[in-house]
Amino acid sequence: MAVAAIGQQDWPEDWPELLPLLLKLISDQNNGNGVRGALRCLALLSDDLDDTCIPKLVPELFPSLYRIISSPHLYENSLRAKALAIVHSCISMLGSMSGVYKRDTSSLMSSMLDPLIEQFSLILNSPVQSQNPDDWSMQMEVLKCLLQLVQNFPGLPEAKISAILPSLWQTFVSSFKIYHLSSIQGLEELDSINYDSDGSERSLESFEIQLFELWTTIVGNSRLGKVIGGNIKELAYYTIAFQQITEEQVQRWSRDANQYVADEDDVTYSCRVSGSLLLEEIVTAYEDYGINSILEASKMRFHESQESKQAGSADWWRLHEASLFALGSLSEQLCEAQDSGFAKYNVQDLLEQMLTDIMVTGVHQYPFLHARAFSIVAKFSSVISKEVSEQYLSYAARAIASDVPSPVKVGACRALAQLLPESDQDLIQPNVMGILSSLVDLLRQASDETLHLVLETLQSAIKSGGEQSTLIEPIISPIILDVWAQHISDPFISIDAIEVLEAIKNAPGCLQPLVSRILPTIGSILGKPKIQPDGLVAGSLDLLTMVLKNAPTVVVKAVFDTCFVSTVQIVLESEDHGEMQNATECLAAFISGGREELLVWSGEQGRTLKMLLDAASRLLDPALESSVSLFVGSFVLQLILQMPSHLSPYIPDLIAAIVRRMQTSSIAGLKSSLIVIIARLVHLSVPNVDQFINLLLSIPAQGNDNSLAYIMSVWSQLQGEIQGAYQIKVTTTALALLISTRHPELSKIEVQGHLIKTSTGITTRSKARVAPDQWTKIPLPAKIFSLLADTLAEIQEQIGGGSDDECEEDSDWEEVQNGNTSIADDIIYSASVPSNANPSVEHLNAMAKVFDEDEDDSYDNDLTKNDPLNEVKLAVFLTNIFTNLWENDRPLFEYLCQGLSDSQRSAVEKVLRK
């Protein structure tokens, strides 16, 4: 450990002789302690190997490691496993280098591969005979090495890897026999989980999970996937068997329902989850063939469980439950297959047979089977028949009111949460008060993990209340408010409670009594914020924001009279980040709900506006931590949208404050929200956008020529990171308006262009410090033009489906041909997202929402839903921008086109042809 610790700092630069010394020790067969110590050192050092030393090290090191691995008569298994671990590290590093040093790594791997594969096969051919880690530690290391080979060297000759597949299958099958006896049936005494010297878990389950990860990677490899295609049903067949509930899980979940809920909801480290990931990969790789293979395997396992049941086995239910669990993990794909008719086997028939059989079994004797049935009904509610759904809905309603094991009640809640909104009101109405009463009883007994589920189910039940809604509020509201208050410091449960209260608020006849119940208490809490327990003020503001959301003016006025001044005072005086953030959101909700009328509610002329501007000033203070100001964007945006004429005299000061806040902000999300404000002000200045540019030129910005130069520098960098349908549309169209002015000052501003590749090889931390990323500088109009062309290309890809004919037929483009279309006189529906070179997952999700805005029910969307800009059809708008520039300033247009990529240029040309 000491030598390795020093080596990690000093080797190779300051201690070049360390490696030769270790290699010499490894080669000395007469010095067992030397071999062991050198291997341990190398194993610790191998994680720090980089692309400079690996090519030199592997040719010297590999012969010594291979000799140890291939000499069971000379070296004990623990040393051979350690040598394999070092081989694994070398393969991992070679894999990460393969993109840059493809020829070198291929040459190195080829020299190692044949002897390694031979040894891997020999090691895997030894059947797993016990759960003792010492019996399979070498197999574990071989699995890790194979995983790296398949993941990082997909171009390796498939015959090489294929040669080892029979041995791998032997390991899979033989290890299941031990796993079934020791873990599923629990017949062998379980040793406590132990760990190796590197801290990795050494348990039979961790070994099986490693096996699943390797199979999943092989299935996902297009060439190897073809090799094993004929054995997919057998792979699924064994996978389902591995997914049976273990005896240890039975004991743990029976003792603690919380643990059952937690393990069901989380992606836990287990064979059940790893098996599901493999089945998902099978469906992805083999599509309908994979689905049919899994359905057939599941049907076989179900029939086996029935045969075991007939034979009197006490464990028959495990295979039945595992078959359902496997299908449940693929519910989305199977429902789609059923709808499209791809599945050779009828998913509905198989599920209904499995579910109907469960109804006649003892719930106390087989609680986990019944719990799984409820879960399956919830997941496959769109597939199973109305008759079976209604049977399980009635059964779930009885279960939550009965003395049944906790896992069954958990499953029943899941079924109710899904089935209640989908079921006939005639069936629900006679039972809804009984269901609510039972859920309230459960709520009183629930602990933290189960509380979330019960609250979710309550929400569904309340929404299904129909004509009985007016009876709901006095019964449930006090209890939910009590749950909310008790769990105010737990953001997940308190949010769940608020969502239940929101369902009550939206139920017919419940709004006024709920507000009357909440307001006095919340008013007193916000009136004396400094004496309240931690979290209560912030939580109360959250609750208040929910009440204000989409509320009628009379309710907004009542809340204003009680809580508005206190909310502003919290923004002005509080030092608590959570309180200030929530108070900011609450003020935005006040303005959205009260609009201009809000300014006269206090009675004193100008007092309310002054309070709002004071709050904005505090939130835009550049000395505040960025996180405190996180929601100031939506607040100021509401001021602009709802009170534009009142705000007009303060716009120069507002812009100056926004610039100062942006300059000290460390959070890109805050900067993006402030850019949205500037973009909305651009729209507000139409048709005098030139004058707005002149205003920005007149406002100083520290370290920059003016505010325009600073804002556009940040905006052009962050445009690709802006999220939300509304925000993307506002900023994109504002950029188009700016470039349309052809204002001479725009071309004087240079902004970040493209990344300059400065080095080859892997970028280490030290390289990044010495040579940080460098970017080209390009004129602002060229950058804007590029961003708009990107957006256009995205719209065409998302909407047009690829062919010109489809684009021409699509309604998104039809109005382009009708001539001039502007925000003022042709407001239409659609939007898109500007792309960037490497869009994040969040950005892609945002893009998806832009094209399906009805699904975007976020709170921000509620606040901005009445802005006319929502109705702008972005494709039409951008087409007119490009067309006008082409027709009115051809030289500028052609100059800007020079900086476009081929795909961007193609997108622009396509709209010009129209």
Side-chain angles (χ1 to χ4, degrees):
M1 284 298 293
V3 172
I6 297 166
Q8 283 168 340
Q9 298 296 321
D10 294 1
W11 176 80
E13 291 88 354
D14 300 324
W15 196 0
E17 58 272 18
L18 173 60
L19 194 59
L21 171 67
L22 294 176
L23 290 172
K24 184 179 177 183
L25 278 171
I26 286 176
S27 303
D28 187 355
Q29 296 179 18
N30 298 317
N31 182 358
N33 288 334
V35 173
R36 181 177 290 102
L39 278 173
R40 294 289 294 278
C41 261
L42 273 169
L44 292 166
L45 285 170
S46 60
D47 288 335
D48 287 339
L49 300 176
D50 62 23
D51 55 339
T52 56
C53 62
I54 275 283
K56 302 170 191 170
L57 174 65
V58 169
E60 296 180 49
L61 180 59
F62 180 69
S64 300
L65 293 175
Y66 180 74
R67 186 173 59 254
I68 294 170
I69 293 166
S70 61
S71 306
H73 55 291
L74 294 176
Y75 299 98
E76 62 198 63
N77 283 354
S78 61
L79 286 182
R80 295 171 69 208
K82 191 63 69 176
L84 282 165
I86 299 168
V87 169
H88 170 259
S89 294
C90 291
I91 295 173
S92 300
M93 177 49 67
L94 287 169
S96 64
M97 289 169 56
S98 60
V100 182
Y101 303 105
K102 190 170 183 179
R103 186 176 300 172
D104 293 346
T105 54
S106 295
S107 172
L108 285 167
M109 282 308 307
S110 297
S111 64
M112 295 165 55
L113 197 58
D114 285 341
L116 274 180
I117 291 293
E118 182 187 355
Q119 287 304 311
F120 289 171
S121 290
L122 288 170
I123 291 168
L124 291 179
N125 264 331
S126 302
V128 177
Q129 295 181 327
S130 83
Q131 60 173 323
N132 185 344
D134 293 336
D135 287 345
W136 43 257
S137 57
M138 282 197 301
Q139 281 111 313
M140 181 75 149
E141 295 301 333
V142 167
L143 296 178
K144 291 179 182 177
C145 289
L146 286 171
L147 180 64
Q148 287 298 319
L149 283 172
V150 178
Q151 279 180 337
N152 293 322
F153 298 96
L156 285 174
E158 64 189 62
K160 305 273 188 189
I161 303 295
S162 300
I164 208 166
L165 291 176
S167 303
L168 184 61
W169 184 256
Q170 158 74 21
T171 301
F172 193 52
V173 173
S174 69
S175 67
F176 171 70
K177 295 173 184 174
I178 304 302
Y179 182 75
H180 185 256
L181 285 172
S182 63
S183 298
I184 295 171
Q185 292 188 322
L187 297 181
E188 294 185 13
E189 187 176 339
L190 281 171
D191 299 326
S192 59
I193 294 173
N194 59 48
Y195 299 85
D196 63 19
S197 57
D198 298 325
S200 299
E201 182 183 315
R202 278 159 47 98
S203 69
L204 186 57
E205 183 152 50
S206 67
F207 178 76
E208 306 298 358
I209 290 168
Q210 189 69 52
L211 256 172
F212 275 120
E213 189 175 358
L214 178 54
W215 279 122
T216 303
T217 308
I218 289 170
V219 167
N221 180 292
S222 57
R223 294 198 298 169
L224 293 175
K226 291 175 185 174
V227 175
I228 64 167
N231 304 102
I232 287 303
K233 186 174 75 174
E234 289 78 9
L235 187 58
Y237 177 78
Y238 271 96
T239 298
I240 292 168
F242 268 110
Q243 291 182 297
Q244 292 175 87
I245 295 179
T246 65
E247 184 58 28
E248 190 268 336
Q249 286 169 330
V250 168
Q251 300 301 327
R252 188 169 77 245
W253 293 341
S254 298
R255 286 193 307 268
D256 187 358
N258 281 324
Q259 193 62 52
Y260 177 67
V261 174
D263 289 350
E264 284 282 292
D265 288 343
D266 297 337
V267 181
T268 49
Y269 185 74
S270 69
C271 280
R272 280 164 78 83
V273 171
S274 295
S276 295
L277 294 174
L278 173 55
L279 295 177
E280 286 174 24
E281 191 65 42
I282 288 173
V283 172
T284 301
Y286 301 98
E287 297 176 337
D288 54 329
Y289 171 67
I291 286 175
N292 289 320
S293 298
I294 292 168
L295 286 172
E296 189 173 351
S298 183
K299 189 175 184 180
M300 289 166 66
R301 287 300 189 187
F302 167 58
H303 286 153
E304 285 175 22
S305 74
Q306 298 305 292
E307 289 167 7
S308 297
K309 181 181 177 184
Q310 296 298 326
S313 168
D315 282 336
W316 67 269
W317 64 271
R318 293 183 199 261
L319 264 182
H320 192 156
E321 193 277 343
S323 300
L324 284 171
F325 180 83
L327 297 177
S329 67
L330 300 170
S331 56
E332 188 176 328
Q333 297 93 323
L334 290 175
C335 288
E336 188 178 324
Q338 178 76 22
D339 292 341
S340 59
F342 286 149
K344 174 184 171 186
Y345 291 93
N346 191 301
V347 180
Q348 179 182 348
D349 288 350
L350 177 58
L351 284 172
E352 290 185 0
Q353 185 183 356
M354 296 167 86
L355 290 169
T356 306
D357 280 9
I358 292 171
M359 292 287 281
V360 296
T361 61
V363 66
H364 290 275
Q365 200 172 357
Y366 309 111
F368 296 105
L369 184 57
H370 285 256
R372 181 61 49 211
F374 280 129
S375 174
I376 290 297
V377 170
K379 288 185 174 184
F380 289 95
S381 60
S382 65
V383 169
I384 59 178
S385 68
K386 183 179 177 183
E387 182 185 358
V388 173
S389 287
E390 289 178 355
Q391 284 178 357
Y392 267 89
L393 180 63
S394 299
Y395 177 28
R398 293 195 305 274
I400 60 170
S402 309
D403 179 22
V404 296
S406 296
V408 179
K409 291 195 175 187
V410 167
C413 283
R414 292 189 197 284
L416 287 170
Q418 180 65 39
L419 296 178
L420 282 171
E422 300 173 356
S423 300
D424 290 342
Q425 288 294 306
D426 293 342
L427 178 71
I428 296 170
Q429 287 306 307
N431 301 307
V432 73
M433 294 308 290
I435 290 171
L436 286 167
S437 176
S438 300
L439 288 170
V440 168
D441 289 341
L442 277 182
L443 202 59
R444 294 191 176 103
Q445 307 162 25
S447 44
D448 288 357
E449 292 289 350
T450 50
L451 197 53
H452 163 75
L453 186 58
V454 177
L455 288 169
E456 183 186 353
T457 312
L458 258 174
Q459 193 180 338
S460 286
I462 291 164
K463 288 178 179 178
S464 306
E467 296 173 1
Q468 301 182 60
S469 295
T470 48
L471 304 173
I472 292 171
E473 195 280 328
I475 299 171
I476 298 181
S477 293
I479 297 165
I480 302 298
L481 285 167
D482 190 45
V483 170
W484 170 79
Q486 287 178 22
H487 296 85
I488 198 73
S489 59
D490 184 326
F492 298 106
I493 292 177
S494 59
I495 287 171
D496 286 339
I498 287 177
E499 287 177 350
V500 174
L501 291 169
E502 185 171 13
I504 296 172
K505 180 192 97 169
N506 294 333
C510 292
L511 174 59
Q512 298 281 5
L514 179 66
V515 173
S516 301
R517 187 183 304 281
I518 289 174
L519 264 189
T521 305
I522 298 298
S524 64
I525 291 169
L526 299 184
K528 297 178 181 177
K530 293 179 182 176
I531 64 169
Q532 306 301 332
D534 285 349
L536 186 57
V537 172
S540 298
L541 289 162
D542 254 347
L543 185 56
L544 208 57
T545 302
M546 180 276 290
V547 170
L548 290 166
K549 180 180 174 183
N550 299 323
T553 306
V554 64
V555 170
V556 179
K557 172 74 164 63
V559 178
F560 178 92
D561 292 340
T562 308
C563 301
F564 178 76
V565 174
S566 303
T567 304
V568 173
Q569 288 303 119
I570 289 167
V571 172
L572 296 177
E573 298 174 7
S574 177
E575 298 298 328
D576 182 281
H577 293 190
E579 290 177 9
M580 290 186 67
Q581 287 178 349
N582 291 3
T584 308
E585 288 192 292
C586 195
L587 287 180
F590 268 120
I591 301 166
S592 177
R595 307 192 181 188
E596 278 190 296
E597 291 178 52
L598 178 133
L599 297 178
V600 299
W601 285 346
S602 67
E604 190 177 328
Q605 183 69 33
R607 178 170 178 254
T608 300
L609 182 60
K610 182 180 184 304
M611 293 175 73
L612 290 169
L613 291 173
D614 287 346
S617 178
R618 170 99 202 272
L619 291 165
L620 291 170
D621 183 351
L624 276 183
E625 284 192 39
S626 297
S627 61
V628 178
S629 305
L630 206 51
F631 302 114
V632 69
S634 60
F635 167 48
V636 175
L637 191 60
Q638 284 306 305
L639 288 174
I640 295 169
L641 292 175
Q642 309 298 347
M643 306 168 182
S645 59
H646 296 278
L647 198 64
S648 184
Y650 305 99
I651 283 177
D653 291 337
L654 178 64
I655 292 170
I658 286 171
V659 168
R660 289 193 296 271
R661 176 70 277 193
M662 284 173 72
Q663 288 186 314
T664 60
S665 172
S666 58
I667 299 176
L670 173 56
K671 288 183 179 180
S672 296
S673 70
L674 297 176
I675 286 167
V676 174
I677 295 173
I678 299 293
R680 195 61 187 81
L681 289 173
V682 171
H683 285 283
L684 205 61
S685 70
V686 173
N688 303 309
V689 180
D690 284 85
Q691 292 179 20
F692 183 74
I693 293 174
N694 292 334
L695 174 62
L696 294 180
L697 287 167
S698 70
I699 298 172
Q702 188 175 356
N704 293 267
D705 294 339
N706 49 61
S707 286
L708 179 68
Y710 172 72
I711 287 170
M712 296 316 300
S713 170
V714 176
W715 189 346
S716 60
Q717 283 184 53
L718 290 180
Q719 179 63 32
E721 301 300 319
I722 290 172
Q723 297 178 25
Y726 171 82
Q727 290 79 358
I728 291 162
K729 185 178 294 186
V730 170
T731 51
T732 304
T733 49
L735 286 173
L737 289 172
L738 289 172
I739 199 174
S740 298
T741 65
R742 302 196 283 285
H743 196 294
E745 291 296 324
L746 295 179
S747 4
K748 297 178 183 177
I749 298 170
E750 289 201 326
V751 296
Q752 191 181 88
H754 306 290
L755 180 65
I756 302 169
K757 294 287 185 183
T758 54
S759 63
T760 57
I762 296 168
T763 302
T764 60
R765 282 190 293 268
S766 57
K767 281 183 184 177
R769 281 194 299 270
V770 174
D773 287 342
Q774 295 182 13
W775 299 78
T776 61
K777 289 283 187 183
I778 61 173
L780 175 61
K783 180 69 173 182
I784 293 176
F785 199 76
S786 170
L787 288 168
L788 298 181
D790 254 343
T791 305
L792 209 53
E794 291 291 350
I795 296 174
Q796 290 168 356
E797 183 181 339
Q798 294 285 327
I799 297 174
S803 81
D804 286 358
D805 292 340
E806 286 173 39
C807 284
E808 286 175 0
E809 290 171 9
D810 195 289
S811 63
D812 214 62
W813 298 100
E814 285 172 1
E815 301 187 38
V816 177
Q817 299 165 21
N818 296 335
N820 181 44
T821 309
S822 65
I823 292 178
D825 57 22
D826 194 6
I827 294 181
I828 32 195
Y829 151 83
S830 180
S832 181
V833 180
S835 75
N836 50 3
N838 294 295
S840 62
V841 173
E842 292 85 355
H843 195 57
L844 292 173
N845 288 338
M847 188 185 298
K849 283 186 177 178
V850 168
F851 292 101
D852 193 3
E853 291 183 57
D854 290 339
E855 291 186 11
D856 186 2
D857 59 355
S858 68
Y859 181 59
D860 272 352
N861 190 53
D862 279 327
L863 290 178
T864 57
K865 65 185 177 184
N866 294 319
D867 188 347
L869 290 185
N870 274 312
E871 299 177 43
V872 169
K873 201 166 197 177
L874 195 55
V876 180
F877 189 90
L878 291 180
T879 296
N880 284 308
I881 291 292
F882 282 111
T883 304
N884 290 337
L885 199 56
W886 162 259
E887 292 172 350
N888 298 323
D889 197 339
R890 186 73 56 86
L892 174 61
F893 184 91
E894 291 176 349
Y895 165 72
L896 293 174
C897 276
Q898 292 173 12
L900 298 182
S901 66
D902 290 343
S903 62
Q904 292 169 338
R905 188 177 290 108
S906 170
V908 175
E909 288 172 353
K910 191 176 288 185
V911 297
L912 293 179
R913 286 200 304 272
K914 292 180 181 300

